[in-house]
């Protein structure tokens, strides 16, 4: 595999995603000086920290050092040991990772006279395996306030920008490469080619494929669970559905799938999920718990608290079900890699605590939580679903967050607000379907703001809520562009919502990409 060492960069997950597009297995970990009690979790990709001793024991084909918010010359900066660059595997440093490589190997890094942020033209200065087939001049994405001023011994500069004379450098004899820009983001025109070139430098076989992952996962689950009883948290979404079928193939009748209607689902969704999965051999159980969840959310406005409350209540419901059906050893969740990373990986910022990761309570009354998709990105999960024979309409279904409408209602969640956003969202989805553009969109939904504004209807004054519509185009859900929907569609949706949904007098459209925004609102 290729190991991505994370130094707190906002794009760390994208690096892993781009590497995997080349059919190479890749994991993201943070580097620590401390002792790792067991490197079993690290080798299975479930750990978040790894030390140098553990790295030496891994069968690696390459290492990538990510960007980060620190300055390498500041006290307490996270730096790799110099021995890392003597492991006889290619190393690529990106942004902070490039500066860390230079600094540790006795180069110099200083505050840049002119910081660079955004698109910049890169000029390649000399031939390089890393830039094979790359245009001599192309657009790259920069995000830095420091820069390398003096290179370590045996390094040469291979590219520059107007304000960064050493935008890329390398020691080809030692297979050490450094780039100041971010090749992993789509804003860098030749970024995918550059990372593919690094995979070639690593001499990777490009043989990590989804059919192998599926068969290996099923076998691993059989060995892990044996005759144990398994409870699967089934939401009806892509992730939990794929996880459920994986477990079904691994443990058969020892699996019970529980669908919890927490009252925060889309309009008519509970009935639709029950209808679909009652036809599968999954020991399907539906639990109506809307009142239970809503009572826990009274007066709560902070989005992180909402996520954690919903996450804990899910666990408590599953514990109650487990007691009723007999001893259950394992709880299965459809956690995927973006859930783990956005919930805070090592020094990376907590973007939002996913209810099934950062939202879990400290005590869980199960032997173990099993997350067979924890290492996959969204599009990889869809591929796994196809390998398992799930129908395309289920595999291609747009994501719906576990906390549901709880994070699409800004501020306190109430029954009245839930109905408003359910009705508005149903209209939006209906018109998107009528227009025939649903397959082009990664995700689209309506959310309820906490803003009220003055309007006029029937010659009378109104003072009602504002609905915001969101639609994005994405494949991996790590980055997304706001969809430029036809104005006629938006006009129809806005008119219908204002006229048909009581309590709404204004409709807005969110045209922000990810980053800087997230796809969901809270």
């Amino acid at each position: 595999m290729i190991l991505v060492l994370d130094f707190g960069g906002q794009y760390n997950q994208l690096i892993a995603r781009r590497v995997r597009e080349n059919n190479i297995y890749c994991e993201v970990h943070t580097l620590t000086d401390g002792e790792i009690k067991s490197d079993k979790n690290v080798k299975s990709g479930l750990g978040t920290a790894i030390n140098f001793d553990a790295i030496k024991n891994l069968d690696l084909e390459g290492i990538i050092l990510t960007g980060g918010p620190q300055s390498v010359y500041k006290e307490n900066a996270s730096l790799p040991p110099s021995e890392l660059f003597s492991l006889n595997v290619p190393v690529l440093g990106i942004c902070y990772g490039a500066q860390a490589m230079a600094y540790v190997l006795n180069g110099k890094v200083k505050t840049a006279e002119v910081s660079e942020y955004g698109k910049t033209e890169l000029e390649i200065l000399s031939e390089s395996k890393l830039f094979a087939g790359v245009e001599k001049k192309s657009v790259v994405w920069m995000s830095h306030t420091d820069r390398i001023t003096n290179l370590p011994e045996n390094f040469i500069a291979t590219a520059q920008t107007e304000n960064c004379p050493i935008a890329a450098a390398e020691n080809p004899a030692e297979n050490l490469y450094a780039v100041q820009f971010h090749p992993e983001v789509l804003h860098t025109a030749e970024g995918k080619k550059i990372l593919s070139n690094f995979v070639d430098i690593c001499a990777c076989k490009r043989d990590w494929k989804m059919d192998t992952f599926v068969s290996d996962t099923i076998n691993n689950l059989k060995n892990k669970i044996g005759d144990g009883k398994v409870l699967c948290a089934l939401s009806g979404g892509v992730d939990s559905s794929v996880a459920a079928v994986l477990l079904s193939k691994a443990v058969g009748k020892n699996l019970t799938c529980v669908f919890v209607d927490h009252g925060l689902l889309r309009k008519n969704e509970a009935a639709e999920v029950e209808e679909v999965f009652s036809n599968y051999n999954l020991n399907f159980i539906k639990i109506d718990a809307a009142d239970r969840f809503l009572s826990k959310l009274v007066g709560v406005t902070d989005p992180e608290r909402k996520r954690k409350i919903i996450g804990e209540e899910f666990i408590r419901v599953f514990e109650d079900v487990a007691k009723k059906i007999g001893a259950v050893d394992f709880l299965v969740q459809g956690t995927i890699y973006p859930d783990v990373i956005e919930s805070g990986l090592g020094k990376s910022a907590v973007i939002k605590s996913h209810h099934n990761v950062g939202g879990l309570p400290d005590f869980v009354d199960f032997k173990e939580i099993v997350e067979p998709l924890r290492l996959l990105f969204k599009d990889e999960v869809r591929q796994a679903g196809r390998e398992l024979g799930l129908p395309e309409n289920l595999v291609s279904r747009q994501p719906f967050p576990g906390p549901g409408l709880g994070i699409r209602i800004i501020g306190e969640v109430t029954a009245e607000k839930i109905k408003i956003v359910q009705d508005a969202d149903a209209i939006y989805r209906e018109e998107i379907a009528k227009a025939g553009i649903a397959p082009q969109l990664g995700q689209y939904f309506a959310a309820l703001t906490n803003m009220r504004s003055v309007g006029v209807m029937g010659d009378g004054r109104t003072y009602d809520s504002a609905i915001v519509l969101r639609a994005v185009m994405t494949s991996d859900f790590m980055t997304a562009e706001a969809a430029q929907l036809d104005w006629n569609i938006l006009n129809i949706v806005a008119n219908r919502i204002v006229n048909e949904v009581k309590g709404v007098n204004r409709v807005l459209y969110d045209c922000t990409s990810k980053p800087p925004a997230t796809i969901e609102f809270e």
Side-chain angles (χ1 to χ4, degrees), residues 300 302-310 406 409 411 413 522:
V300 179
D302 179 73
E304 279 293 287
R305 279 197 63 206
K306 285 195 282 187
R307 286 177 176 275
K308 292 180 182 295
I309 288 169
I310 293 169
I409 296 172
V413 178
E522 291 194 329

Side-chain angles (χ1 to χ4, degrees), residues 185-445:
V185 300
L186 296 179
H187 305 303
T188 296
E190 301 267 27
K192 288 187 177 183
K193 178 63 177 174
I194 293 168
L195 288 174
S196 178
N197 286 340
F198 181 69
V199 169
D200 288 338
I201 291 169
C202 295
C204 296
K205 295 179 181 178
R206 299 178 183 254
D207 59 357
W208 189 69
K209 301 183 186 300
M210 195 49 60
D211 56 350
T212 304
F213 172 84
V214 168
S215 59
D216 287 350
T217 299
I218 291 172
N219 289 330
N220 291 338
L221 289 169
K222 286 180 180 178
N223 295 332
K224 180 185 187 68
I225 294 171
D227 295 327
K229 299 292 184 182
V230 182
L231 192 68
C232 179
L234 179 61
S235 70
V238 178
D239 305 333
S240 65
S241 299
V242 173
V245 176
L246 272 173
L247 266 296
S248 178
K249 291 185 178 293
V251 303
K253 295 181 179 179
N254 285 344
L255 171 69
T256 298
C257 289
V258 178
F259 168 60
V260 177
D261 179 4
H262 53 11
L264 300 168
L265 298 170
R266 289 171 287 204
K267 191 172 184 177
N268 301 323
E269 188 162 26
E272 292 169 1
V273 170
E274 185 172 16
E275 181 181 358
V276 169
F277 286 97
S278 294
N279 297 322
Y280 284 81
N281 186 26
L282 299 174
N283 293 329
F284 181 86
I285 297 174
K286 178 188 174 188
I287 304 295
D288 293 312
D291 292 341
R292 178 171 175 170
F293 277 82
L294 196 56
S295 66
K296 296 285 184 178
L297 294 169
V298 172
V300 179
T301 59
D302 179 73
E304 279 293 287
R305 279 197 63 206
K306 285 195 282 187
R307 286 177 176 275
K308 292 180 182 295
I309 288 169
I310 293 169
E312 176 167 359
E313 201 59 23
F314 264 118
I315 293 294
R316 301 306 172 220
V317 171
F318 294 135
E319 288 172 347
D320 291 346
V321 174
K323 292 172 184 176
K324 292 178 181 177
I325 65 176
V328 173
D329 303 296
F330 300 92
L331 173 67
V332 176
Q333 295 190 142
T335 306
I336 64 175
Y337 215 10
D339 298 342
V340 177
I341 293 172
E342 288 189 337
S343 294
L345 185 65
K347 294 181 180 294
S348 297
V350 177
I351 305 301
K352 51 187 179 183
S353 294
H354 288 258
H355 77 290
N356 51 349
V357 186
L360 290 177
D362 294 332
F363 175 74
V364 178
D365 193 16
F366 291 95
K367 178 180 177 181
E368 190 173 338
I369 292 178
V370 176
E371 298 169 319
L373 307 177
R374 188 180 177 92
L375 297 178
L376 299 188
F377 291 91
K378 177 66 72 174
D379 51 331
E380 293 173 326
V381 175
R382 297 190 198 280
Q383 293 176 36
R386 295 183 183 101
E387 290 290 339
L388 290 164
L390 286 170
E392 187 61 33
N393 65 328
L394 182 58
V395 171
S396 299
R397 189 179 185 214
Q398 64 163 311
F400 186 67
L405 302 182
I407 56 170
R408 291 182 182 174
I409 296 172
I410 311 303
E412 183 182 9
V413 178
T414 66
E416 179 185 11
K417 290 180 179 179
I418 292 171
K419 187 176 188 315
I420 287 175
V421 76
Q422 281 179 334
D423 290 343
D425 183 72
I427 291 170
Y428 187 32
R429 289 187 291 123
E430 181 182 329
E431 292 300 332
I432 291 289
K434 281 182 183 179
I437 60 173
Q440 304 167 27
L441 304 176
Q443 195 168 350
Y444 53 96
F445 58 87

